[in-house]
Amino acid sequence: QCQAVLHFLLSLGEYQEFLGLIMKNNIPKLLLNYISITDINSVLIFDIIRYLSALLCHKKFASDFMNYDGLQLLMDLPFNQRASTGISTCLYALVFHSTVMERLCAHKAHLIPPMISMCLKLLKGKHESARSHVTLYLTLAFQYRPIIEEFDIQNGLDHFVDILKATTAILIEPPSNELLLFLHRQKLKHVCNALHRYIACHTLLYAEHTRRVKDHHGVGMSPQIYMNNKALELEDNLENAFEYIQSNAEFDSIWTAMDSLHKLGGFEVAMNALFISEDWRSVRYDATSVIISLISFMTLLPRYQLKLTEPLTTPTGETQTAIKFVLQAAEDYNNIDVQKAALGLIIGVVCGPYRANASNLSHTQASQSRKTSSDDVMHKMWSAIRTNNGIKVLMSLLLTKTPICHADELRTAACKALNGLCRSRGVRQIASKLHLMSSGQLLALMREPVLPENIETHTKFCTYTGSLLEVLFGVSTERATNEPSLLNKMTKADIVSKTPITFDKDELYYLLHSTLIEQGLKSTANMLVDEIKNKLDKDILFYPKKQETLPTTGSSSSSSHLLMSPITPCKKLYIKNSRSRAASAVDETPETPTPSKHKVPQKSVGVIEHLTALDQKNKTYQPPSLDDLVHNFMREQHMKCEYPMSIVPPFSLFREHLCPSPQPKYYEAPVNMVMRQSSRQYLAGHGGISGRYRNYKYIYSKFRPYYTYKLGNRNEEWDDINLTSCLTFSNYIVSGCNNGQIKVYEMSQYPPYNCIQTTQPSLENPDCDPITSLAISSSEKLLASTSTSDPEFSHNNLVIWSVGANREAGAASTDVLEHRHEIPGVDHVSFSYNTDDYLLCTMDNKCCIVDCYTGRIIHTMKNPHGSNSYYKNHAVFNFTDELVLNDGVLWDFRTPSPIHKFDKFNNFVSGVFSPSGIDIIINTEVWDIRTYKLLNTINSLDNCLLKYNNSRDVMFGLSHVKKEVLDHEISPAYKHVLGPFESTFKTFYTKNEYSSLGTFDVRKQIIDFSFCRSDRMVVTIETANEDFTTMWSGGSSLRIYLIGRSRGSRGDEDDEDDNEDDDDDSSTSSEDHPGDFDDDSLMSAELIESGSDEDIFDESVSDIESDINMSNDEDESGSDDDSN
């Protein structure tokens, strides 16, 4: 009967309307009397406690419960499974009443030790419900200082870490029971929440303790923190406490709670939990964000931050560092809480104190060693962030616009992290060259927030942005927001900041000497002369100050006139070995005011006392040195130059500095081609400055369709065969097919070209795989082809062919290609430039060097510390065959370890070497191999595959199809091929900072691209099918374009005819008889000509003139019209 009544009342206990009746009938005292009975039925006790927990949600009832010593009665109950569940539920209900908890801490503190002991006993129990409620209770109770202190006294942290270890061990191999799996995941989440709250409370207490120790005044952030009966205000003070510890923590700071957690292995357990939570689907995001936030607190002290860079083994067996995982979470996660937590951790490790000049401060040697250790940790963290592409992650977050409600918060956090990261000299140099910073795009973000309601967050973003611009370019926040010409000033400031300042110290000695004389300190001036002679052991040349040579602005002159106005050296006076000479040198100087008029008053000593007091208050203050003042003055002079230079002669204190202006426009080559050719008669070179570039621009901006070839007509059985790759060398064109064939065409006088060899005919081997790429050696004696090895295109197979061996030997067979070696698992290949001995093979993120004659792999290169994982990675040699660039990592294949890993700023292009031999181009970034500094960013190179012509002065760029399009439209097969490309290719001039020459649209999707060694034509594989899922089965064609010839009106018509007749004709030509190059091409050869070593067209033009005869007068007249 009692149980039935309790079950009925349990359903009414939470309603406020029945509380009056409950209190009127003295129900609390009645329930407590039942609890105090020792021999009562355990089932009835359980129902009573359940009803009691339902009533404890009312503040009035909870207060009376404490007055009647209800908590003591609960702890006196016999401990069993049912009672433990009810007790934990009552504790969880009590913690929500702040007044009840304050009374417990203030007046019933003697109950806290047994209560914590009971909680720890419940944590050890086997009942999941009791353990879950106790964990939730402690999570909220840690904000009361007596409870968290007693929890530490009883080593409660050990219990949480043990539970976390056991749970992660179970979840590494999750149970098949879904309910049991959910319970373990929920337990892991609750324990992580409790540990997070525990560390957060200790962070607040440690920050206040540190501040009290340093200030010696007992004034903290919030007075109620030290009141034992008040809860810690985490929401208001936690961020400030975090930043205070971050900026004031020393390398060997003592933090008992944090040290205990690390000794128990809390960091490693938290990382295991983080790796496990990544694969969850239900409570994944909540657990992941809490664990990352927990790790950010655990790495707040500098000596624990290095754990983020240590390799850890994930549950899947992979090796990964914590900082890499956090950066990936900040960039890729779709949950805003995870991204915020990851950015908070990054801010914690990059924005700490950095005392680069700690050795100059007046502190003890022990303090200096601590700060040096902290600086070493900071450098290692900056390096780890760079190694794991942290700059790219933070830069991309600056441009985020989704989710719209939180985009401003992400931008602000990313900008704050960049402020800390840019304190690194290397990062600062790279960031100042990026397009986002140097183009004014960052200033545009300051104009308005993504969401107008987030104006307060946007204000913080503007503050951090102004600080970032000041760090990068020396531009203040006010100037950054108000001056329209800021970009030019930022560029000038960047140049000035990198200019080495040198000057003649003799001029500085003379100014010091003059100043001492003017102040009436003649004896000190004489001592200066003697010291210079004795210490430096050389004769110092002085320029005596003549009144008639110095411009004056008033009745008296000062040394500042020397700094601001140029002077003419007059009578030269040398300091000889005798002191009398030195004295006479002083006496011959102009008269100076008497010392009595300019004597320093005695009261000026108060200024020194004031400076001493300031120095005692702020130990880090250092007055500027004389050398700093002179350097700053010279930099200001350099900043006034209209066109500042980074390399200048030594500055002078006696003459105003001025960088030379650029050459006048008179020497510029005319833009008009006819005028430019005429100006060559009186201007050397190509008609003036930039003449060679403009000649190249005139030629490589024009391409004329010359010949189109497609497999498949009504007389052949090639309906399902399409071209997939192409290559030109000597007098041959080689193309690969989607059925595994390689076709060799011999270029005759004029089209159609005959196919002289076909390898792997489809009729005999219909299951052959597509030929994905072709490469030819420098001597044109070896050819390499790659083809897919399975239907899923997981890897390609490499085949090495001999070229022309049978023909040279006079064999009966006339085949051009002869099979030599085959190597599996190769995606892309490239030959060495100077010999035929080596072949560089790309295999996903690694590469290997193969001996072309034996087919043996002689060296493998893979970065053990991680790779950039470019989507279209293609390893390449440099032009001396000494260095290799693979996946953004520079190698010398004669050494086992990599030389340098370049920062990643794109996901597609892995980079190539520049023809100069000292630069590397990775997407839009140009890097210096010697210093590993970012030299420039060229936006027109974005997402382009780069190829050089034979003379390496022109670079062709084909734009990759965006990865977002590929992910949605085609299979992962195309990760192992370089294509597909967009319908345009670009040309760049390599000798003029990769200036753009032109962009040509072929109006079809490009699959592959090649050009002949004579630099007179380019060959493309094109397809009219824009569906990438059937890119190799949509009717591709091979098309030849002539370089330097304009596309006329007939060319446009021929393009349309090609689209219509592709299904019927195997080959088409843009002209019935193409004949010779027209006047456009002949003039193109003359435009480039500047000597036998630089002419790239004369030989090709003469070859065509001898091989191809003009047979159509209409075509000749049409060409003349085009040239006119």
Side-chain angles (χ1 to χ4, degrees):
Q1 186 178 1
C2 291
Q3 290 182 3
V5 173
L6 288 173
H7 290 169
F8 170 73
L9 293 176
L10 179 62
S11 60
L12 304 178
E14 297 181 357
Y15 290 94
Q16 187 73 23
E17 293 80 4
F18 297 97
L19 182 60
L21 294 175
I22 292 173
M23 302 305 298
K24 182 179 179 180
N25 292 280
N26 205 9
I27 297 297
K29 191 173 182 180
L30 178 62
L31 293 176
L32 294 177
N33 290 334
Y34 273 110
I35 293 177
S36 61
I37 301 175
T38 57
D39 57 348
I40 195 171
N41 188 1
S42 61
V43 177
L44 184 59
I45 286 292
F46 175 70
D47 292 333
I48 293 173
I49 296 177
R50 287 180 60 196
Y51 180 46
L52 186 61
S53 63
L55 294 176
L56 284 175
C57 67
H58 304 293
K59 185 176 181 181
K60 173 63 175 173
F61 185 89
S63 179
D64 290 348
F65 177 79
M66 292 297 297
N67 292 334
Y68 294 146
D69 292 332
L71 185 59
Q72 181 67 53
L73 292 175
L74 285 179
M75 291 186 292
D76 293 338
L77 286 174
F79 188 82
N80 54 59
Q81 183 174 350
R82 292 185 177 182
S84 62
T85 303
I87 293 171
S88 61
T89 307
C90 292
L91 291 176
Y92 180 60
L94 278 176
V95 77
F96 287 98
H97 303 296
S98 58
T99 56
V100 175
M101 296 300 296
E102 290 171 4
R103 289 177 58 191
L104 173 65
C105 296
H107 305 293
K108 297 182 181 293
H110 63 280
L111 296 178
I112 295 178
M115 181 187 68
I116 296 298
S117 178
M118 181 182 62
C119 292
L120 297 180
K121 188 183 297 185
L122 291 174
L123 286 175
K124 293 180 181 179
K126 298 181 180 180
H127 199 271
E128 292 294 338
S129 178
R131 187 158 45 192
S132 176
H133 283 92
V134 167
T135 304
L136 294 174
Y137 165 74
L138 291 174
T139 302
L140 298 176
F142 281 145
Q143 58 187 327
Y144 297 95
R145 186 174 181 182
I147 294 178
I148 195 172
E149 289 178 348
E150 184 62 31
F151 183 82
D152 291 334
I153 293 174
Q154 299 190 23
N155 298 325
L157 189 60
D158 298 7
H159 295 73
F160 276 149
V161 174
D162 291 341
I163 294 174
L164 202 57
K165 288 181 179 179
T167 308
T168 53
I170 293 174
L171 290 176
I172 289 178
E173 297 180 358
S176 57
N177 190 333
E178 293 185 2
L179 179 59
L180 189 59
L181 177 63
F182 174 78
L183 290 177
H184 285 300
R185 289 178 174 179
Q186 197 75 9
K187 178 170 53 176
L188 180 65
K189 176 184 173 182
H190 289 164
V191 174
C192 290
N193 275 321
L195 280 175
H196 179 267
R197 178 61 67 96
Y198 171 83
I199 292 297
C201 294
H202 268 295
T203 300
L204 204 61
L205 296 173
Y206 180 73
E208 187 62 20
H209 170 72
T210 306
R211 180 171 297 185
R212 280 179 176 269
V213 171
K214 287 195 173 186
D215 293 346
H216 300 287
H217 297 299
V219 179
M221 290 175 294
S222 181
Q224 63 266 31
I225 289 181
Y226 281 89
M227 298 176 64
N228 290 348
N229 61 326
K230 295 291 184 180
L232 301 177
E233 295 183 359
L234 295 177
E235 295 182 359
D236 298 334
N237 298 320
L238 184 58
E239 183 177 356
N240 295 333
F242 187 92
E243 294 178 354
Y244 183 81
I245 296 177
Q246 183 186 47
S247 58
N248 292 276
E250 303 292 347
F251 184 81
D252 55 354
S253 298
I254 299 176
W255 188 356
T256 305
M258 189 64 68
D259 296 340
S260 301
L261 183 57
H262 280 278
K263 288 179 180 178
L264 294 171
F267 178 81
E268 291 75 11
V269 178
M271 285 306 305
N272 289 334
L274 183 61
F275 293 143
I276 293 173
S277 68
E278 184 186 10
D279 299 328
W280 294 1
R281 297 180 181 271
S282 55
V283 293
R284 165 187 175 183
Y285 295 132
D286 294 340
T288 304
S289 60
V290 170
I291 297 172
I292 294 177
S293 182
L294 172 63
I295 295 173
S296 66
F297 283 108
M298 297 174 65
T299 56
L300 194 52
L301 294 182
R303 64 175 179 273
Y304 295 129
Q305 291 177 358
L306 293 179
K307 289 189 175 184
L308 294 170
T309 63
E310 297 175 356
L312 299 172
T313 303
T314 64
T316 58
E318 299 177 357
T319 301
Q320 191 174 24
T321 60
I323 193 65
K324 182 178 181 180
F325 182 92
V326 171
L327 287 169
Q328 292 175 351
E331 182 182 23
D332 299 335
Y333 264 70
N334 296 323
N335 184 268
I336 187 62
D337 294 330
V338 175
Q339 288 183 296
K340 287 181 181 179
L343 286 173
L345 191 149
I346 296 171
I347 291 172
V349 298
V350 303
C351 297
Y354 179 61
R355 304 174 179 91
N357 298 320
S359 58
N360 298 329
L361 302 178
S362 56
H363 292 283
T364 62
Q365 188 67 26
S367 178
Q368 288 181 6
S369 63
R370 288 197 299 268
K371 291 168 183 175
T372 303
S373 300
S374 298
D375 290 348
D376 292 342
V377 172
M378 185 59 62
H379 280 290
K380 291 179 181 179
M381 293 310 304
W382 289 339
S383 177
I385 294 290
R386 283 190 60 186
T387 302
N388 293 283
N389 308 316
I391 303 177
K392 170 183 173 291
V393 172
L394 297 176
M395 290 292 181
S396 62
L397 289 175
L398 284 179
L399 301 175
T400 185
K401 294 184 179 180
T402 55
I404 189 171
C405 296
H406 303 280
D408 293 294
E409 297 181 34
L410 294 178
R411 285 183 176 182
T412 303
C415 193
K416 183 178 180 180
L418 278 174
N419 270 276
L421 192 60
C422 284
R423 292 181 297 171
S424 169
R425 182 178 301 177
V427 176
R428 186 165 59 248
Q429 190 276 330
I430 293 173
S432 63
K433 295 292 185 179
L434 294 178
H435 180 69
L436 176 62
M437 300 296 180
S438 60
S439 65
Q441 194 173 0
L442 187 61
L443 294 177
L445 298 177
M446 298 174 62
R447 295 176 182 173
E448 58 182 4
V450 178
L451 194 66
E453 288 78 4
N454 296 334
I455 187 64
E456 184 177 352
T457 304
H458 182 69
T459 303
K460 294 182 181 179
F461 171 73
C462 293
T463 302
Y464 291 132
T465 302
S467 177
L468 183 61
L469 293 175
E470 188 170 359
V471 170
L472 295 179
F473 306 105
V475 181
S476 62
T477 307
E478 293 77 9
R479 295 175 61 192
T481 55
N482 297 329
E483 294 190 18
S485 60
L486 178 64
L487 291 179
N488 294 333
K489 295 183 179 180
M490 288 166 56
T491 305
K492 290 176 61 176
D494 183 48
I495 296 175
V496 170
S497 64
K498 294 178 175 58
T499 303
I501 302 296
T502 58
F503 62 94
D504 189 0
K505 292 296 182 67
D506 293 349
E507 296 178 351
L508 182 60
Y509 295 150
Y510 172 68
L511 291 179
L512 291 174
H513 182 270
S514 301
T515 303
L516 292 173
I517 294 298
E518 290 178 359
Q519 299 298 327
L521 304 175
K522 289 187 177 181
S523 61
T524 307
N526 294 337
M527 292 176 62
L528 175 64
V529 175
D530 294 339
E531 287 288 338
I532 293 173
K533 174 58 184 172
N534 296 332
K535 296 293 184 182
L536 303 181
D537 194 20
K538 67 176 182 177
D539 293 335
I540 305 300
L541 178 62
F542 278 98
Y543 295 98
K545 184 174 59 176
K546 296 295 184 180
Q547 191 70 25
E548 64 269 18
T549 63
L550 291 177
T552 58
T553 58
S555 58
S556 62
S557 61
S558 64
S559 61
S560 62
H561 298 147
L562 293 173
L563 300 179
M564 301 306 297
S565 304
I567 69 171
T568 303
C570 296
K571 182 179 179 181
K572 299 179 180 180
L573 197 63
Y574 289 89
I575 300 178
K576 299 299 183 181
N577 292 333
S578 63
R579 290 177 178 262
S580 60
R581 278 285 192 172
S584 64
V586 176
D587 293 337
E588 291 186 14
T589 56
E591 292 185 1
T592 57
T594 60
S596 60
K597 295 182 180 180
H598 296 273
K599 188 175 182 181
V600 179
Q602 296 290 335
K603 295 295 185 182
S604 62
V605 181
V607 178
I608 300 177
E609 294 177 352
H610 178 65
L611 291 177
T612 304
L614 287 177
D615 185 64
Q616 291 178 354
K617 184 174 181 180
N618 187 3
K619 295 294 185 181
T620 61
Y621 171 76
Q622 289 293 319
S625 63
L626 180 61
D627 192 64
D628 294 336
L629 293 175
V630 175
H631 278 73
N632 291 336
F633 164 75
M634 292 179 175
R635 290 192 188 277
E636 290 178 1
Q637 290 285 315
H638 194 29
M639 191 68 183
K640 294 178 181 179
C641 298
E642 186 176 0
Y643 301 98
M645 302 170 61
S646 59
I647 301 177
V648 295
F651 288 79
S652 175
L653 293 171
F654 295 158
R655 292 181 300 275
E656 185 177 3
H657 169 75
L658 184 64
C659 290
S661 299
Q663 294 288 344
K665 293 185 178 180
Y666 173 77
Y667 297 103
E668 284 283 339
V671 178
N672 183 273
M673 181 267 299
V674 178
M675 296 178 62
R676 189 164 62 251
Q677 298 307 304
S678 300
S679 64
R680 295 176 64 179
Q681 301 176 10
Y682 54 88
L683 287 178
H686 299 269
I689 300 175
S690 303
R692 184 176 178 84
Y693 162 70
R694 288 172 179 169
N695 290 341
Y696 271 90
K697 185 176 181 64
Y698 179 79
I699 297 170
Y700 281 94
S701 61
K702 300 184 295 183
F703 299 87
R704 184 168 187 172
Y706 174 60
Y707 177 71
T708 303
Y709 180 85
K710 178 180 178 178
L711 291 174
N713 60 22
R714 51 181 170 266
N715 296 325
E716 297 181 0
E717 298 180 359
W718 304 99
D719 295 336
D720 296 330
I721 303 177
N722 292 278
L723 302 175
T724 58
S725 56
C726 63
L727 179 69
T728 61
F729 65 94
S730 296
N731 200 35
Y732 302 102
I733 297 179
V734 181
S735 65
C737 303
N738 64 338
N739 66 339
Q741 292 181 352
I742 298 179
K743 291 183 173 291
V744 182
Y745 303 92
E746 185 174 15
M747 290 187 289
S748 56
Q749 291 185 351
Y750 53 85
Y753 299 145
N754 297 322
C755 178
I756 62 175
Q757 181 183 359
T758 300
T759 65
Q760 299 179 0
S762 61
L763 297 178
E764 298 180 4
N765 189 7
D767 297 329
C768 287
D769 303 309
I771 303 297
T772 57
S773 66
L774 298 167
I776 190 71
S777 65
S778 58
S779 65
E780 299 183 351
K781 294 182 178 180
L782 294 176
L783 183 142
S785 65
T786 59
S787 60
T788 58
S789 61
D790 56 71
E792 296 297 329
F793 303 145
S794 62
H795 281 292
N796 296 346
N797 285 330
L798 167 66
V799 179
I800 302 177
W801 308 80
S802 295
V803 179
N806 293 329
R807 292 195 169 193
E808 293 180 0
S813 174
T814 59
D815 290 343
V816 177
L817 303 180
E818 180 183 359
H819 185 278
R820 296 191 64 169
H821 304 289
E822 185 170 348
I823 302 174
V826 177
D827 297 332
H828 314 295
V829 294
S830 60
F831 283 93
S832 56
Y833 287 95
N834 301 313
T835 66
D836 291 348
D837 297 338
Y838 304 117
L839 183 66
L840 185 61
C841 303
T842 307
M843 305 173 179
D844 286 336
N845 297 327
K846 69 177 182 179
C847 67
C848 63
I849 297 178
V850 176
D851 190 329
C852 297
Y853 296 99
T854 62
R856 181 174 59 89
I857 297 177
I858 60 178
H859 188 65
T860 301
M861 289 167 281
K862 182 178 181 180
N863 188 10
H865 303 294
S867 60
N868 285 328
S869 301
Y870 289 109
Y871 195 76
K872 299 287 185 180
N873 178 40
H874 186 196
V876 292
F877 280 111
N878 74 328
F879 294 104
T880 61
D881 298 334
E882 296 175 347
L883 301 176
V884 173
L885 181 66
N886 175 55
D887 204 34
V889 181
L890 184 64
W891 294 80
D892 186 337
F893 65 88
R894 296 167 295 185
T895 60
S897 59
I899 300 175
H900 180 73
K901 178 179 180 293
F902 293 96
D903 295 81
K904 178 182 178 182
F905 293 103
N906 80 100
N907 295 323
F908 250 78
V909 184
S910 60
V912 296
F913 289 92
S914 70
S916 64
I918 60 175
D919 299 338
I920 286 179
I921 307 173
I922 303 179
N923 199 42
T924 62
E925 295 79 36
V926 182
W927 301 87
D928 191 335
I929 299 179
R930 300 163 296 180
T931 61
Y932 312 125
K933 291 184 177 180
L934 180 61
L935 300 178
N936 195 12
T937 54
I938 305 171
N939 293 328
S940 54
L941 298 178
D942 185 29
N943 208 35
C944 285
L945 172 68
L946 302 179
K947 293 185 177 182
Y948 299 103
N949 68 342
N950 189 43
S951 59
R952 299 172 189 166
D953 47 14
V954 175
M955 184 170 62
F956 293 86
L958 289 87
S959 297
H960 288 281
V961 177
K962 294 295 183 181
K963 182 177 183 298
E964 292 77 10
V965 178
L966 296 180
D967 288 343
H968 288 85
E969 296 191 11
I970 68 176
S971 67
Y974 296 88
K975 291 183 180 180
H976 303 282
V977 297
L978 292 179
F981 306 99
E982 296 181 355
S983 61
T984 60
F985 62 85
K986 307 172 185 178
T987 53
F988 305 91
Y989 186 43
T990 60
K991 297 182 179 179
N992 189 21
E993 296 184 353
Y994 310 101
S995 302
S996 176
L997 297 175
T999 302
F1000 187 75
D1001 188 3
V1002 302
R1003 303 190 183 99
K1004 295 180 181 180
Q1005 296 292 337
I1006 299 175
I1007 300 178
D1008 200 5
F1009 179 91
S1010 181
F1011 41 81
C1012 65
R1013 294 292 178 96
S1014 62
D1015 292 333
R1016 67 182 185 184
M1017 64 177 65
V1018 297
V1019 182
T1020 63
I1021 301 294
E1022 304 171 6
T1023 178
N1025 190 355
E1026 297 184 359
D1027 184 7
F1028 297 114
T1029 57
T1030 57
M1031 183 186 65
W1032 287 344
S1033 59
S1036 59
S1037 59
L1038 182 147
R1039 177 167 292 188
I1040 301 175
Y1041 294 90
L1042 298 181
I1043 300 175
R1045 299 186 65 179
S1046 300
R1047 185 204 294 262
S1049 59
R1050 290 188 61 186
D1052 297 336
E1053 296 174 0
D1054 291 333
D1055 286 345
E1056 297 176 1
D1057 295 338
D1058 291 345
N1059 294 333
E1060 296 175 358
D1061 299 340
D1062 276 347
D1063 294 336
D1064 298 330
D1065 299 331
S1066 61
S1067 63
T1068 59
S1069 175
S1070 61
E1071 300 178 3
D1072 296 334
H1073 301 283
D1076 204 349
F1077 276 117
D1078 57 12
D1079 291 344
D1080 277 352
S1081 297
L1082 295 176
M1083 185 174 295
S1084 299
E1086 296 178 358
L1087 295 180
I1088 301 294
E1089 183 179 7
S1090 63
S1092 59
D1093 57 337
E1094 296 181 350
D1095 189 1
I1096 65 172
F1097 270 92
D1098 286 346
E1099 182 179 357
S1100 60
V1101 172
S1102 62
D1103 290 343
I1104 298 176
E1105 287 177 345
S1106 61
D1107 293 343
I1108 306 177
N1109 297 320
M1110 181 71 68
S1111 61
N1112 193 327
D1113 294 335
E1114 294 182 1
D1115 291 340
E1116 181 180 3
S1117 61
S1119 300
D1120 292 336
D1121 292 340
D1122 291 341
S1123 63
N1124 294 333

